[in-house]
Amino acid sequence: RYRAVFRSALVDKLFGTDGVRDQANQGNMTAETVLKLGRAVALYFREGHADDEVRPTIVIGRDPRLSGSMLEAALAAGICSAGMDVRLLGVVPTPAVAQIAIQSGAVAGLMVSASHNPYYDNGIKVFKGTGFKLSDDEEEQIEILFQAASVDLPTGADVGTVFSMENASEMYSDFCTNILPEERPLDGLKLILDCSNGATSECAG
């Protein structure tokens, strides 16, 4: 019944084939919309964690796009308003968000990136704490929470806090090197890296 009541209220579908995307500061990528999206994601993942001794955490990474820091801040504000903590990873490649979510015990990971889209676009990709992307049904549940007219939000000491994870790039780099065989794993190979000022440029060195 809950789903049926709100399904008709969905005006514009948020999630596409790979998260939520739009031109930055327009449509689904305004600061206001992204704040609501961050809150909806946190409310969805808060289920089942209300009694945890440690406040649940969501990690956020971004690519180097100019609009990334604006949208990162909006996401973090929405998540904290729903009573979860945020750990900012800074500029990291998309797989790092999924992996660090697993390593850090976060309930979810969000990546601010529009992948190969033009520089003026941006987007939000959502990973579960297991490192996997959302199912269609899970995306729909988040859209329902996004469209809800009102939600029960925490106050006082129950509001979330934002932290910076300064070693995010090192964590992901260590993960990548540790999955290689220990003895002479790259012997005989020539590697060419063209990071094009992308999010992997910091880890690649």
Side-chain angles (χ1 to χ4, degrees), residues 22 36 123 153 157 175:
D22 213 327
K36 283 183 62 180
L153 296 177
F175 165 76

Side-chain angles (χ1 to χ4, degrees), residues 63-65 91 115-117 119 192-205:
D63 71 15
R65 293 168 196 261
V91 176
S115 301
H116 60 278
N117 281 33
Y119 76 94
I192 299 175
L193 299 176
D194 180 9
C195 299
S196 269
N197 298 314
T200 308
S201 55
E202 183 144 348
C203 295

Side-chain angles (χ1 to χ4, degrees), residues 19 33 42 135 142-143 165 180 202:
T33 300
S135 66
I142 290 172
E143 290 191 352
M165 185 177 284
L180 294 171
E202 183 144 348

Side-chain angles (χ1 to χ4, degrees), residues 71-147:
L71 300 176
E72 173 193 69
L75 272 179
I79 293 167
C80 290
S81 76
M84 283 196 180
D85 285 346
V86 172
R87 293 195 179 276
L88 302 179
L89 309 182
V91 176
V92 292
T94 298
V97 174
Q99 182 57 35
I100 293 174
I102 298 171
Q103 287 182 256
S104 65
V107 297
L110 304 178
M111 180 65 185
V112 182
S113 174
S115 301
H116 60 278
N117 281 33
Y119 76 94
Y120 47 77
D121 288 347
N122 219 326
I124 312 293
K125 300 179 183 182
V126 183
F127 296 94
K128 295 180 278 192
T130 57
F132 290 96
K133 292 184 179 179
L134 301 174
S135 66
D136 291 344
D137 184 65
E138 288 167 328
E139 290 178 349
E140 183 176 310
Q141 295 307 307
I142 290 172
E143 290 191 352
I144 289 170
L145 291 167
F146 178 91
Q147 295 286 352

